[in-house]
Amino acid sequence: MVSTRTGPNLSRIAASLGVSVATVSNALSGKGRVSVELVERIRATAAALGYVPSQAGRALRTGRSGVLGLVLPDISNPLFPQIAQAIEYSASVAGYGVLIADSRGDVGMQTEAINRLVERGVDGMVIVPRRGTRIADAGCPVAVIDTPSTPGNTVSADHWQGGREIAKHLRDLGHRKILLIGASSTSNVQNDRIGGFKSALDATIKTEVLWIENLEERNGPGCLLGLVDKVQQGFTAFAAVSDLHALRALTELQRAGIAVPDSATVTGFDDLIWSTVVTPALTTMRMDMATIADIAVAALVDAIENGGPIEKGGPGEASADESLPDSRLVTAEKSRVPMQLVVRQSSGPPWVGKNEPLSGELLT
C-alpha cells in the first residue's frame, strides 16, 4: 500500500543517520548536493526501514502524477488483456501506475477515453489505435503500438516478418494453394501480415484473400466462410491473420467433417491463451509482448522525465490511419520486434486422401 505521508518515514531515516530531513529528501529524489557515499547510505537505510515514497508527495515535487494511460481498442478481444498485463508490468518496474481505458470497439468511444485520461492528468499515454483514431492536443507524450507501416508508430511486432515466417512454414510443408483469411481490408496490421505472407512466395504458389467483413456484409454476422467449397477447389491451407479467425476456420472445417491437419491445415496469429488447448493445438505466430511493452514504456518514461525523442504530430503522422494533430509522438530506437513461429498440431503436409499426397506436391 502506497503511503500518503512521507514526513515520519523521512524523519526516521534522518534520525538514524544523524542528517537532516532535507538531506534525506534530496538523496532519495536525486536533487541537491549530497555525496555519492551518503546517498548510498541513505538509500540503503531507506530500504532497510521499508520506506515507500509517497505518490502524492512526488506529484507535488515534480508536477507529475506518476500515472500512465493505456487506451485499448476492445478489451473483449483476448489479445488486449495480454497487452495490458505487459504494459502494466513494465510501467510498475519504471515506478508508474496505469489507468486503462477500453474503447469497446468504437472509434468515438476511443476518442472519449483518450480525453478522460487527459483530464485525469496522466503523464503519458500508450495507445493501441483503432482505424480512425484521432487525438486532440494530449499535452503529454504518446506511444503508439500498431505496426511499423503505421505513421507515428512507436514500437510493435514486425507483422510483415510474421507473415513471411508463416508463409515459409506452409511453403516448406508443400502447400501450393493457400487461402488467407482476414477481418478487414482497412487494417494496417492485417495488411502487413498478408503483405509479408505474399512476399515470401513465388508464382508457383497460389494465394487468395478472403475478407470476413465483406462476406458478412452480404450474408450476415457469423455466416459460414465457405471453406468447404475452397477445399473442393484444391485449397489445402487456411492462414488466418489472427487466432480468433483461425478458430472460426477450424470449427467450420471440423463441423463439415474435414480433418485438420489431415485434409486441411489451419494457422493463426497472436498465440492467444487458448491456442494450446483447442483440438488440434493451433500453429501460430507469437508476439513478444514483454519486449514491446518494455520498449514502449521506456521511450515514454524517457520522454516524460528526460525530454526523450518526440515527434510533433501532424499530417501524415498517424495512429491507425489518420493524423494525431498536436500530439507528441514518442519514438524508440527499436521500432519493430520479431515474431516467433510456434508450430503445433494444426499444420501438416497437404493430403487429398488418407494415404495419398497431393500430386507432385511433396515436402520441399
Side-chain angles (χ1 to χ4, degrees), residues 224-263:
L224 290 175
L225 303 180
L227 303 188
V228 174
D229 289 341
K230 296 298 182 182
V231 170
Q232 294 173 347
Q233 294 168 20
F235 286 90
T236 61
F238 300 88
V241 297
S242 82
D243 287 353
L244 288 174
H245 307 322
L247 179 60
R248 184 169 175 177
L250 182 65
T251 302
E252 183 171 320
L253 290 167
Q254 290 178 327
R255 286 179 177 174
I258 298 171
V260 177
D262 292 347
S263 299

Side-chain angles (χ1 to χ4, degrees), residues 53-364:
S54 163
Q55 285 293 100
R58 184 173 75 166
L60 288 173
R61 292 192 306 271
T62 66
R64 298 194 294 266
S65 65
V67 177
L68 304 179
L70 173 60
V71 183
L72 297 173
D74 186 356
I75 207 165
S76 67
N77 184 317
L79 172 64
F80 297 125
Q82 294 181 20
I83 294 176
Q85 186 178 52
I87 293 292
E88 194 281 332
Y89 178 79
S90 296
S92 67
V93 170
Y96 284 78
V98 177
L99 286 177
I100 299 175
D102 176 24
S103 306
R104 302 181 187 180
D106 182 82
V107 174
M109 290 190 69
Q110 184 162 63
T111 301
E112 291 178 10
I114 291 168
N115 291 337
R116 285 198 304 273
L117 291 175
V118 171
E119 290 171 0
R120 293 191 179 192
V122 296
D123 294 327
M125 265 187 257
V126 178
I127 298 177
V128 183
R130 288 188 54 81
R131 181 175 174 82
T133 297
R134 296 186 66 89
I135 304 174
D137 184 5
C140 66
V142 175
V144 175
I145 298 178
D146 196 44
T147 186
S149 68
T150 295
N153 185 71
T154 302
V155 62
S156 66
D158 191 339
H159 300 287
W160 187 278
Q161 170 262 339
R164 287 184 60 84
E165 291 297 321
I166 203 80
K168 288 189 287 186
H169 172 64
L170 295 177
R171 180 198 66 195
D172 292 346
L173 284 172
H175 293 279
R176 295 297 179 267
K177 200 167 184 182
I178 304 169
L179 184 71
L180 299 167
I181 302 173
S184 172
S185 61
T186 62
S187 165
N188 287 351
V189 169
Q190 294 181 38
N191 278 313
D192 280 358
R193 291 176 174 182
I194 288 174
F197 191 102
K198 290 181 175 181
S199 74
L201 306 177
D202 59 29
T204 65
I205 301 177
K206 179 180 178 180
T207 62
E208 183 178 307
V209 180
L210 182 154
W211 293 110
I212 294 174
E213 184 178 73
N214 296 339
L215 193 64
E216 290 188 334
E217 284 181 1
R218 297 193 300 270
N219 302 325
C223 65
L224 290 175
L225 303 180
L227 303 188
V228 174
D229 289 341
K230 296 298 182 182
V231 170
Q232 294 173 347
Q233 294 168 20
F235 286 90
T236 61
F238 300 88
V241 297
S242 82
D243 287 353
L244 288 174
H245 307 322
L247 179 60
R248 184 169 175 177
L250 182 65
T251 302
E252 183 171 320
L253 290 167
Q254 290 178 327
R255 286 179 177 174
I258 298 171
V260 177
D262 292 347
S263 299
T265 276
V266 176
T267 63
F269 256 89
D270 298 329
D271 195 25
L272 298 180
I273 191 169
W274 45 258
S275 298
T276 59
V277 298
V278 296
T279 303
L282 191 62
T283 292
T284 186
M285 294 299 303
R286 176 184 296 158
M287 288 194 287
D288 185 352
M289 277 312 309
T291 298
I292 292 169
D294 285 346
I295 293 172
V297 170
L300 201 54
V301 170
D302 184 40
I304 293 167
E305 298 182 356
N306 306 312
I310 292 178
E311 290 184 37
K312 191 71 173 178
E317 295 179 321
S319 56
D321 71 331
E322 296 190 31
S323 64
L324 304 177
D326 299 322
S327 63
R328 295 183 287 168
L329 302 177
V330 172
T331 62
E333 290 185 7
K334 185 176 183 180
S335 64
R336 60 187 71 201
V337 177
M339 302 191 78
Q340 177 188 0
L341 174 66
V342 182
V343 179
R344 299 194 180 105
Q345 291 76 45
S346 69
S347 60
W351 302 96
V352 292
K354 291 183 178 180
N355 301 307
E356 297 181 6
L358 195 64
S359 177
E361 309 296 347
L362 299 176
L363 290 178
T364 57

